[in-house]
Amino acid sequence: MFQIGDRIAHPMHGAGVISGIENRKINGVARDYYLLSLPVNGMQVMIPVDSCEAIGVRDIVGEIDADRIIASISSIEIVETQNWNKRYRENMLKIKSGDLLDVCCVIKSLMLRDRERGLSTGERKMLNVAKQILISELALSKNMEWEAINVMIEAAVYATDPEGCTVE
């Protein structure tokens, strides 16, 4: 069980700090909820305490792991599917996995695609969500500002040759 003040990561919302634990009755069922305060837009997410494991809520990565994740971005190989629907589904599964390297793969793929061809509205939104998830966790892990982490990610993504991408 997490405590107030713990820094945790939600696979679809990103990382934040538990600001409280409340008992709420929703749809006739009383449950305990973590109140997760996210640094972006001051958003707050309620997470059922008894569903954390199933959802994939976890402690944030440490600073050393955060550095490794950033360093690994430039070496991620992108295999891009041409079919928009299939590509979107594959990327969404990677984001939902909660694995930060999978999220990095989505970010790199979409950023390079945006630079080469532009993104659809759906893929632009997906890129923003993926960046929020990754940057919020890395910013908390490294105790850095959002924009500084964003600059590091962009530098790592564009440090590779986009010609290294392959298309299925």
Side-chain angles (χ1 to χ4, degrees), residues 150-163:
N150 190 45
V151 167
M152 293 169 75
I153 290 169
E154 287 185 5
V157 166
Y158 296 129
T160 59
D161 180 8
E163 301 302 319

Side-chain angles (χ1 to χ4, degrees), residues 46-60:
M46 290 177 47
I47 306 168
V49 170
D50 56 358
S51 299
C52 282
E53 190 174 328
I55 293 169
V57 175
R58 58 175 172 71
D59 289 313
I60 63 170

Side-chain angles (χ1 to χ4, degrees), residues 12-166:
M12 289 304 294
H13 296 291
V17 178
I18 296 177
S19 60
I21 302 172
E22 292 184 5
N23 187 284
R24 295 253 180 115
K25 191 173 188 176
I26 298 176
N27 293 331
V29 179
R31 298 168 83 175
D32 287 331
Y33 291 87
Y34 292 120
L35 301 179
L36 180 64
S37 296
L38 302 173
V40 180
N41 302 326
M43 191 166 82
Q44 195 168 64
V45 177
M46 290 177 47
I47 306 168
V49 170
D50 56 358
S51 299
C52 282
E53 190 174 328
I55 293 169
V57 175
R58 58 175 172 71
D59 289 313
I60 63 170
V61 297
E63 187 173 357
I64 293 170
D65 286 332
D67 289 335
R68 286 185 190 138
I69 289 166
I70 293 169
S72 71
I73 293 172
S74 61
S75 63
I76 293 174
E77 234 179 273
I78 303 299
V79 177
E80 190 175 87
T81 304
Q82 279 291 66
N83 180 288
W84 184 90
N85 285 333
K86 185 176 179 189
R87 185 173 62 244
Y88 188 88
R89 282 192 312 268
E90 289 170 353
N91 284 339
M92 189 54 75
L93 285 174
K94 288 178 184 177
I95 291 171
K96 286 181 179 180
S97 76
D99 183 318
L100 290 182
L101 289 175
D102 282 347
V103 175
C104 288
C105 184
V106 171
I107 291 169
K108 183 174 182 178
S109 171
L110 292 175
M111 286 178 70
L112 292 175
R113 182 173 190 76
D114 188 29
R115 180 181 252 188
E116 293 173 20
R117 300 178 197 95
L119 295 176
S120 67
T121 303
E123 285 183 315
R124 182 158 315 283
K125 183 177 178 185
M126 179 180 280
L127 174 58
N128 291 335
V129 167
K131 282 178 118 181
Q132 176 183 325
I133 290 167
L134 181 64
I135 294 172
S136 65
E137 185 160 355
L138 297 180
L140 279 177
S141 296
K142 295 180 64 56
N143 202 22
M144 292 176 66
E145 293 295 319
W146 173 282
E147 190 53 43
I149 298 292
N150 190 45
V151 167
M152 293 169 75
I153 290 169
E154 287 185 5
V157 166
Y158 296 129
T160 59
D161 180 8
E163 301 302 319
C165 299
T166 55

